[in-house]
Each structure stands twice: as C-alpha cells, then as structure tokens.
Amino acid sequence: MTEQNKTLLRGARILGGEPQDVLIEGGTVAEIGQGLRAADAEVVETGGAVLLPGLVDLHTHLREPGREDSETVLTGTRAAAKGGYTAVHAMANTFPVADTAGVVEQVWRLGKEYGYCDVRPVGAVTVGLEGKQLAELGAMHDSAAEVRVFSDDGKCVDDAVIMRRALEYVKAFDGVVAQHAQEPRLTAGAQMNEGIVSAELGLQGWPAVAEESIIARDVLLAAHVGSRVHICHLSTAGSVEIVRWAKSKGWNVTAEVTPHHLLLTDELVRSYNPVYKVNPPLRTEADVMALREALADGTIDCVATDHAPHPHEDKDCEWGAAAMGMVGLETALSVVQHTMVDTGLLDWAQVADRMSFRPAAIGRLEGHGRPVSPGEPANLVLLDADYRGQVDPAGFASRSANTPYQGRELPGRVTHTWLRGRPTVVDSKLVGAAGAV
Amino acid sequence: MKRHLISAADLTRDDAVLILDTAEEMARFADRPIKKLPTLRGRTIVNLFFEDSTRTRISFEAAAKRLSADVINFSAKGSSVSKGESLKDTALTLEAMGADGVVIRHGDSGAPHRLATSGWIGGSVINAGDGTHEHPTQALLDAFTMRRRLVGEEGAALDGKRITIVGDILHSRVARSNVHLLSTLGAHVTLVAPPTLLPIGVDSWPCEVSYDLDAVLTKSDAVMMLRVQRERMNAAFFPTEREYARRYGLDGERMARMPEDAIVMHPGPMNRGMEITAEVADSPRCTAVEQVANGVSIRMAVMYLLLGGSEPALSRDDTARTEENN
Ligand SMILES: [Zn+2]
C-alpha cells in the first residue's frame, strides 16, 4: 500500500470546534475550510466526529526484545494506532535492557519498518536498570533512534547521587530523566496501596509517601542542578501538591498521569482480581479526584498510558503471584473522555494538549504534537465521541488482554488514524501498513 | 449462609450463632463412644495446604472424618505445587477428582477468594488461613470458647463482652477474622500492639486500639495473646525480645490484674517467654488446649453447614444409623 495521496474529511470538528472540511495531501494538512472540493480525493464523511492531532504516548512498554509473548513492536504499534496514537515512547525495561545505542536502534527500526506508529525508544538511565552506573546516554541520544527521554522505569533511580548525575549529564543535549518514583525500601514486597483496604485485605501496603518522598527529592535535585525532570505515572494527591509547589518555583518539572489512575481506586482490589494489580497501585477516591483536578489545571502535564502487557497466565492466578501492569493504549482516549471531558474538566483542545502537544514537547519529538493547521504533518485521529460501548479485549490489537475495563461501558471510539497522511486505522479497523515509505 | 467460608465478615450474626450452636451439638456427639456421623458420607474433602500447618490440617482432617467424608490431603511441600504449578492447575486437578469441598491454607492473602470466585472449581471453599488476611474457623473456635467460658448459653452471642487482642496485629490473619466476627457477635474488641505492628488503616476497623496493655487488662473479659515472631525485630518492628515481652507480654503479675473470671487465650503455637510466660500458659485461666479441642467441633459444624444441607445435624435417625454402621 502506498501513501494516500489526497483525503478529504468532511465535517470534522477540529479540537471539538465547528464542523469543517480538512484536506490531507502528501502527508500534510493542505487546506481547512467549508465546502472544500478535491475531485481526486478519497472522501471521509465524518458526521461531526472530533479531529485531534495524533496522540503521543510518553510511556509504553512494547516488551520487544525479550518478552514477545506479551507484546511486540508490531502488535504494540498496531494497538497504538487503534488507540489514536501516532507516536509512542518505548520503555527501556526489555531483555536486553535498552541501555545501548544498538538496542534502541533495533526497536526504533522495527517501528519504522512496520509503519503503524512512530516509535521513539526511551533509553535506560543506568546500565541494566541496576541503578549503579550511567548508561551511555550520549550515544543513545546521538543514535538513529534519537533518544531524548531516559528512564529506568519499572525501577526507581533511588541512589541520590546517580540521579543527580543523570539529571546533570543530560543537560548537555537537552535530555530529560523520567523518574519512576518508588522508594524501594518502603515498598519491598508491596502489593497494593497502603490504607484502609490493604489493612482489611491483609496485603502489604505501598504507601503514598514512597512515591512522594522521591518526587520531593528529585524536584529539589532538578532545581539544584538546573535540569529538567519528568515524573512518571504520578498517582497520589500528595505528589500533586509537590509538583504544584515545584512548578510555582519555576522549576523545570513535568509530570504524567495514567488513564487508570484517573478512574480506578483500590476498592477494586477487594475482588483480589489481579487485573487490578499495577505499579504504582490504584489509590483512593481522593487521589483520583486530585489527579483529575491537577490534569485539568495543568499541574500534571500529560496523560501517559504505562501500557504494560502481560500474558494471560501472569494474571490468571492468585494476587501475590500476579504481574503488575495493565494494557492501556486502546482505551486511553475513552477513559480520558469519560473522566475529563464528560465531566467538564477538559475540552477537546485541552485533551489535544495533554495527550499530544505536551508529551511531544517533553520528549522533544518533532513532527508530532502539532496544531491541526495547513502545512502541518497530517498526524491525526478522528474520534466518534458520541459512541458508547463495552470494552471487549477480544477486539484488541495488543497481544495481551490484561485490561481492567473488560465489560465496562466507556465513551468514544477512534474511527481513523493517519500517520503522515497515510491511514493506519479506517472505520476502527487497522489497515495494512506501508512500512517505511 | 454462603457456599464458601472465606472471610469472617461474610457471616451474619445469625450465621455465626448457628455455627456455634451446631458446634455444640458436634461437641456433645464427640463425647459419645462412637464419634462418627454419616452426614458427609460419599463426599470428598481436600485439604489443600500450600503452607505447613500440621495443627490446622489435622483439625480439619479429624472434623471431616468424623462426618464420614473422604479426605484427601494435598500438601504443597515436595509436590508439583512447590515446583511452580499454579493454583489454577492445582484447582483444576481437584475439580477433576470431584472435590465437594476444598480446605485451603495459602501464603498469599486472597488465594481462597480467588479459588472460590475464579470459576476454577465448583465445590465449597473453606479458608484455613491466607497470608495476612483471614483465618475464619480460628475466629469461630475462639468465639465458641469465649461463649462457653464467659456466657455459657447456647443461642447466645457475645454481647457486651470485652475482648482484648494483643500482639502482631499487622501480620495476623487471626486478628482480622476475630475483629470481624467478635464485633458481629456484639463484643467490644480492643487491639493492643506497638504502633509498628498495627496496620495503617486500622482506625476504620470496628474496634478500639491501644498501645498500653496495662490500661486495658483490668477491663478485659478475655485476653487473646497472638504469637509474635522473634524475627520481626530484625525488620525494626520492635527493638528486642526483652522489650517486647516487658511491654506487651503477659506474665503472672499482669494476669493477676485481670478480672477474676477473665480468660487468657492463645491460637498457638505459643512462643513462651515472648508474648506469654510459662506460668500464664499453664494456668487454668489459659484456654489454649481447650481451643484446639473446640477447633474440631467448629470445623465439623462449618463443613456440615456448607456441605451437608439444612436438616438438623443430629436427628435421631442419624444417630441410630451411625450406631448401626460402626
Ligand atoms: Zn513505572
């Protein structure tokens, strides 16, 4: 399949605005207006669907290399496209770890070959995620994969000196360290949020302070060395307060929240169903409300999925034996619509900001997170926001089905995704990828 | 009653009193020369023990056998389970063997709940202790012992009785089950422990909390001492064994300050010299041995009520047939 030459979207509501026609030509947005004509264009009658810039995920576990039983670059980018994403940042906790230029280039190249979604690898901060020795951050930055985000995600860079050095070192090339904030001693053996529910269930607690103490330390470190730091999957009301304070100081701190932390609470753990086991854990209703408010007021910069696929057997077991994580790429936009748009906390322009513009800016990712305007790259997603339907993992493109939303009714459905003008999803179905064109 | 017994919180007051009353019937029966009832003849009960606990397993086994059930002991030690076979595969095996009831002891909190709700098996699940979550039959036998000693009346609950539970509440499934059950039965429960051994969130439980054993002792009808593992001090839960014993252990001097008829309980196995001195453990006020005997009656009652149907446990016919068949 070759690139679609011309596509005309009729009556699309750009960022939720008034219906307009949008002409895509040669990989860019060519024209926007009323009653556009293009005889040779393929026409998409949008019926007033919402048109957003292609979504950008700062936090995706594609699992390749090493855990291809749970996800591959191919299945993960297909899932991303179905979820409306045109770029994902692939986390480094693979086997081998993405801590060298060789591994990040391999992941990047696979994404490019398959062509469903741009893959920007995240480089490990330390060799083997061991937290002891800095990985060759400069080499990964200079590689074809153009690494800009560095993270030991899955593990916290808990050594204060290593964290300080990493923050300082990446200043040389405007990189950012994305911290998985989890004080390891306070969370050894932790199974769920520490609080009323963990006390009753007899599951070892993961206290909010284990996240907040690391964030407090790291915003202070970032300020001290004049670098920028990004906080992964912020999950507590206390973390919000610390980030809000750091931003009020003018420090270069950004933060992300996952869709599941915007919706689900630790009450669900009462079922002991491991589909709700995730790290950081599901918190309380008060935390959920604080996170929504923080995403609305901009304290939290963006939504990132922390898409974490696991094979069925790793969830079809007792809680203690189960793996932590949830898939999220194919439900993220629906959860954001449900928790943020349908509640009046964000409009669609702000959704575009939190799910495309800002994550692309944090990742220094060019060509994504751009306005929907003539001359801009045609990375676009069309959303039927009026749709209501139950989540059915049988329809997922992801290789894994560990979703906490099975059977839950959520609003919105991605009908089309375009990557540089070429459709990757049409009528909510994947279309054959072109590969690198 | 529900089909499974996973948590003491699942029991209504009527359920709990019915179990205690049924256990009294079972206990009376146990005093007769022929101890077997035909109630569960032809039914298969599996003791699925992922953790070593000979005491608990033997108690369930004796209970099942007195009800004439076929008992299969499935111990995880040295079996495929310890070699990484999943709980699910084990469950499917038991289902294929036609288990009517599964008594499960597991190191992971929630494993019995998972077994009962995952659709892996069709039989009843009885929680014989899961991680640091619950141990409902222990709480039932404790309540049974308290009712006998403190109330002495069938059909009654424990209204107004003041029960103090002392020790490692944080890691105790016995404490969790007892708090649920005793409060359901109308007792006033007070937990006593150093703050390090109380869970964050304990303030939402239906009980009082105190850090001061001496202040509570004089107002207790029963004092339940929980086993405290010496290794906990290595994780800084308390400084030394001696300090723990001094502040939270029960010795003769403290016992003397308890009300005259108050009893001392212990779920066993005891850590003499740690949470309880030999003097207290061996005194007539200590019900530890009685609790073990009561455990069999309670487990008979639970199995009977979950698996045996709704007719009275001991009809005249049953008794007659029992005597014929033995
Ligand atoms: Zn993480």
Side-chain angles (χ1 to χ4, degrees):
Chain A
M1 191 174 179
T2 54
E3 233 173 279
Q4 193 70 46
N5 260 343
K6 283 188 184 179
T7 308
L8 181 60
L9 316 187
R10 286 207 192 279
R13 294 166 52 220
I14 299 169
L15 308 188
E18 289 306 309
Q20 298 193 76
D21 297 346
V22 177
L23 182 65
I24 302 170
E25 188 175 357
T28 58
V29 176
E31 209 180 340
I32 296 173
Q34 302 289 350
L36 294 187
R37 287 176 178 280
D40 49 346
E42 180 162 334
V43 175
V44 176
E45 295 292 348
T46 75
V50 174
L51 186 66
L52 300 174
L55 308 181
V56 175
D57 194 15
L58 269 178
H59 196 143
T60 313
H61 295 277
L62 291 179
R63 300 293 191 220
E64 187 175 0
R67 283 309 299 269
E68 291 83 355
D69 58 328
S70 53
E71 196 78 286
T72 63
V73 173
L74 178 61
T75 59
T77 53
R78 286 164 66 100
K82 281 194 75 183
Y85 287 87
T86 52
V88 296
H89 289 73
M91 274 298 172
N93 61 340
T94 49
F95 305 93
V97 171
D99 58 2
T100 62
V103 178
V104 293
E105 284 190 348
Q106 180 198 351
V107 172
W108 168 77
R109 189 166 295 115
L110 286 171
K112 195 169 147 75
E113 276 172 23
Y114 298 135
Y116 282 100
C117 172
D118 286 351
V119 175
R120 171 69 79 83
V122 173
V125 175
T126 64
V127 175
L129 310 177
E130 301 265 319
K132 299 204 164 62
Q133 185 192 348
L134 287 187
E136 289 191 351
L137 308 180
M140 289 189 275
H141 171 272
D142 297 340
S143 74
E146 297 181 15
V147 176
R148 299 291 179 272
V149 182
F150 299 91
S151 182
D152 277 0
D153 183 64
K155 285 186 176 176
C156 180
V157 182
D158 64 307
D159 184 306
V161 173
I162 297 286
M163 187 61 183
R164 174 198 169 142
R165 298 293 181 233
L167 288 168
E168 287 181 301
Y169 192 79
V170 300
K171 280 167 65 178
F173 38 83
D174 195 26
V176 65
V177 177
Q179 176 68 293
H180 169 116
Q182 176 179 7
E183 208 291 316
R185 290 273 292 148
L186 283 171
T187 50
Q191 296 289 320
M192 68 170 296
N193 179 50
E194 182 168 65
I196 288 170
V197 182
S198 67
E200 274 183 53
L201 297 187
L203 289 171
Q204 195 169 327
W206 197 133
V209 64
E211 173 173 309
E212 293 154 5
S213 58
I214 293 291
I215 295 175
R217 182 198 74 178
D218 288 352
V219 298
L220 291 164
L221 279 176
H224 181 60
V225 303
S227 187
R228 61 189 182 110
V229 66
H230 177 73
I231 309 300
C232 295
H233 42 56
L234 191 142
S235 73
T236 77
S239 297
V240 167
E241 287 307 307
I242 295 165
V243 169
R244 190 172 279 141
W245 170 73
K247 286 191 167 186
S248 76
K249 297 278 199 184
W251 299 344
N252 212 336
V253 177
T254 56
E256 71 190 30
V257 63
T258 71
H260 47 272
H261 287 111
L262 291 172
L263 179 58
L264 309 177
T265 71
D266 63 352
E267 288 292 329
L268 291 163
V269 182
R270 291 185 188 279
S271 67
Y272 286 105
N273 185 340
V275 78
Y276 301 116
K277 187 172 177 181
V278 66
N279 194 24
L282 300 179
R283 304 288 188 182
T284 68
E285 185 73 15
D287 293 305
V288 166
M289 291 305 150
L291 293 170
R292 290 184 186 183
E293 191 190 328
L295 183 63
D297 72 19
T299 301
I300 294 176
D301 298 80
C302 62
V303 175
T305 64
D306 196 5
H307 176 82
H310 289 291
H312 184 62
E313 58 270 24
D314 287 356
K315 290 289 190 180
D316 193 26
C317 56
E318 56 272 31
W319 183 273
M324 295 186 182
M326 303 169 166
V327 292
L329 286 169
E330 294 172 75
T331 49
L333 191 50
S334 288
V335 173
V336 170
Q337 181 182 344
H338 176 60
T339 57
M340 303 300 295
V341 180
D342 292 355
T343 53
L345 288 165
L346 291 182
D347 59 27
W348 287 111
Q350 291 168 313
V351 170
D353 181 63
R354 309 301 195 268
M355 296 186 79
S356 180
F357 301 161
R358 289 223 224 175
I362 292 165
R364 302 293 193 252
L365 180 60
E366 285 169 19
H368 291 272
R370 303 293 307 160
V372 183
S373 326
E376 294 289 353
N379 296 316
L380 299 167
V381 52
L382 195 61
L383 174 79
D384 174 4
D386 297 329
Y387 176 85
R388 296 285 181 282
Q390 286 190 352
V391 176
D392 179 9
F396 282 177
S398 172
R399 179 160 284 183
S400 293
N402 51 301
T403 174
Y405 309 116
Q406 176 164 17
R408 191 186 276 260
E409 187 176 294
L410 288 175
R413 177 173 58 175
V414 170
T415 62
H416 294 70
T417 308
W418 289 272
L419 179 61
R420 283 181 289 279
R422 188 174 45 74
T424 54
V425 173
V426 170
D427 295 331
S428 300
K429 292 188 183 68
L430 289 158
V431 294
V437 191
Chain B
M1 285 209 354
K2 299 190 175 180
R3 189 157 61 91
H4 310 288
L5 180 58
I6 306 298
S7 163
D10 297 339
L11 298 171
T12 64
R13 184 182 165 105
D14 287 347
D15 289 339
V17 170
L18 175 64
I19 293 171
L20 300 188
D21 289 345
T22 307
E24 284 290 357
E25 291 188 60
M26 298 295 176
R28 276 195 292 278
F29 188 73
D31 292 336
R32 300 185 192 177
I34 296 151
K35 296 184 174 15
K36 260 190 149 175
L37 274 170
T39 320
L40 297 185
R41 180 169 297 140
R43 316 293 294 274
T44 300
I45 289 179
V46 177
N47 283 324
L48 178 58
F49 275 56
F50 290 83
E51 271 185 353
D52 267 344
S53 174
T54 310
R55 301 163 59 95
T56 306
R57 185 180 57 72
I58 286 176
S59 181
F60 273 104
E61 189 173 349
K65 286 184 169 165
R66 284 184 196 177
L67 294 171
S68 303
D70 296 325
V71 179
I72 299 172
N73 286 315
F74 198 112
S75 164
K77 288 266 161 150
S79 75
S80 57
V81 174
S82 58
K83 298 187 188 82
E85 181 177 306
S86 68
L87 177 63
K88 178 181 179 178
D89 287 328
T90 306
L92 296 176
T93 304
L94 302 183
E95 180 68 0
M97 284 160 42
D100 298 293
V102 177
V103 176
I104 176 174
R105 160 71 63 104
H106 200 289
D108 278 340
S109 300
H113 185 280
R114 194 83 178 114
L115 190 63
T117 57
S118 58
W120 299 331
I121 60 168
S124 290
V125 175
I126 299 173
N127 182 1
D130 62 327
T132 54
H133 178 220
E134 288 221 33
H135 192 357
T137 59
Q138 176 71 43
L140 284 162
L141 74 89
D142 290 338
F144 182 85
T145 306
M146 288 176 214
R147 193 177 75 167
R148 276 194 161 182
R149 286 288 202 115
L150 305 174
V151 182
E153 189 186 319
E154 287 183 41
L158 294 168
D159 294 299
K161 296 299 167 199
R162 300 161 301 174
I163 316 297
T164 300
I165 304 176
V166 187
D168 185 356
I169 309 296
L170 178 64
H171 301 96
S172 176
R173 48 196 175 207
V174 176
R176 281 175 179 76
S177 286
N178 263 301
V179 168
H180 285 306
L181 182 69
L182 296 176
S183 64
T184 297
L185 288 170
H188 296 301
V189 181
T190 305
L191 303 177
V192 178
T196 45
L197 290 176
L198 288 162
I200 298 286
V202 72
D203 40 334
S204 69
W205 293 7
C207 61
E208 306 284 316
V209 171
S210 170
Y211 308 137
D212 182 356
L213 178 56
D214 289 313
V216 180
L217 270 184
T218 54
K219 295 173 278 180
S220 303
D221 298 309
V223 177
M224 184 185 302
M225 304 306 295
L226 300 175
R227 178 182 170 82
V228 175
Q229 292 178 15
R230 292 186 160 86
E231 306 80 65
R232 298 283 180 220
M233 73 182 187
N234 300 329
F237 285 106
F238 49 86
T240 62
E241 289 174 47
R242 289 320 314 154
E243 171 146 329
Y244 183 86
R246 262 198 308 275
R247 293 177 69 87
Y248 297 100
L250 190 60
D251 59 10
E253 202 181 310
R254 279 201 167 111
M255 185 170 68
R257 292 206 294 275
M258 290 165 50
E260 205 178 331
D261 297 326
I263 55 172
V264 175
M265 307 183 69
H266 197 298
M270 289 190 267
N271 236 333
R272 290 172 184 239
M274 186 73 183
E275 72 271 3
I276 193 165
T277 63
E279 181 189 359
V280 176
D282 297 331
S283 84
R285 301 177 78 168
C286 180
T287 62
V289 176
E290 210 175 308
Q291 287 167 264
V292 174
N294 293 343
V296 177
S297 304
I298 279 291
R299 284 159 185 144
M300 286 175 77
V302 167
M303 287 182 192
Y304 168 78
L305 291 168
L306 290 184
L307 297 168
S310 52
E311 70 275 18
L314 290 174
S315 68
R316 281 187 196 286
D317 286 358
D318 269 350
T319 315
R321 257 186 279 133
T322 306
E323 281 159 4
E324 273 166 33
N325 290 326
N326 283 273

